[in-house]
Amino acid sequence: DGAIASNDITISNCEIYDVLNGRDNAGGIVVNGDVTDLSITGNSIYRDNSTHGDASLSGINTDQALIHFYTGEYNGVTVSNNYLGGANNTAGGTKIHGTGDGTTAAIIFMSTIDAVTGTINITGNTFKNMKWSNDDFNGSIVISTDLGDYNISNNTFSDLLYTSLADGYVYEP
């Protein structure tokens, strides 16, 4: 299948900004392929308004997420203590506003995953200042697979607006 397995990956304490650009499968962190023991912790993922003037994104017509898990087999994944959304490193400021007729717009999106071993943990994150105006999936955490076990706990959700929620596993507090 061409995918290369990766083990023991940590992405921590990074500022990842000016994400979401309307291209296919865009995101601040995009994971594509087989992964064992992946930790995404203590990061800030947002869109910097000082660069763009505002946080509006138009014409989103492909899968967009701040963290996007795309195909592959996953074993031991943790997403914890991140700030996700908004216009600065604490998810504050203006909402990221995405519009279009997109397939999926989410903060964390898990799509077309082949297999999950163990539990995927999504804990202690701050989801804030996001607005999606799409025709299809919208949500904070969109899981479009019925594979695996998920621990989604102790997250903070605030200042979020989604104009539609569709089928699939959309987690909303």
Side-chain angles (χ1 to χ4, degrees):
D1 64 4
I4 298 172
S6 299
N7 298 322
D8 302 317
I9 298 171
T10 299
I11 301 170
S12 65
N13 303 314
C14 298
E15 282 195 44
I16 302 168
Y17 56 93
D18 291 346
V19 299
L20 305 178
N21 57 20
R23 295 190 172 99
D24 289 346
N25 304 312
I29 298 173
V30 178
V31 183
N32 184 3
D34 300 342
V35 176
T36 298
D37 297 328
L38 170 65
S39 175
I40 300 172
T41 184
N43 301 290
S44 297
I45 305 177
Y46 60 98
R47 183 161 172 91
D48 183 1
N49 289 351
S50 66
T51 303
H52 300 285
D54 65 36
S56 296
L57 300 162
S58 61
I60 293 178
N61 56 11
T62 56
D63 295 340
Q64 301 283 303
L66 297 181
I67 301 175
H68 188 177
F69 295 89
Y70 184 73
T71 70
E73 297 182 12
Y74 294 89
N75 181 8
V77 173
T78 298
V79 179
S80 65
N81 302 314
N82 298 287
Y83 287 97
L84 304 167
N88 63 37
N89 63 357
T90 59
T94 309
K95 284 180 176 58
I96 295 175
H97 181 194
T99 62
D101 57 357
T103 351
T104 301
I107 299 177
I108 296 177
F109 180 38
M110 310 195 96
S111 66
T112 60
I113 293 174
D114 300 320
V116 173
T117 306
T119 301
I120 292 180
N121 295 291
I122 301 173
T123 61
N125 299 287
T126 298
F127 296 82
K128 187 175 176 183
N129 282 326
M130 298 290 289
K131 178 181 179 181
W132 295 122
S133 303
N134 288 25
D135 295 334
D136 210 340
F137 281 130
N138 292 280
S140 297
I141 302 170
V142 177
I143 301 170
S144 64
T145 177
D146 59 358
L147 300 173
D149 295 321
Y150 297 84
N151 170 27
I152 301 172
S153 61
N154 300 316
N155 296 290
T156 301
F157 298 86
S158 65
D159 296 320
L160 303 169
L161 177 63
Y162 307 111
T163 58
S164 68
L165 294 172
D167 20 30
Y169 300 89
V170 178
Y171 174 81
E172 286 296 314

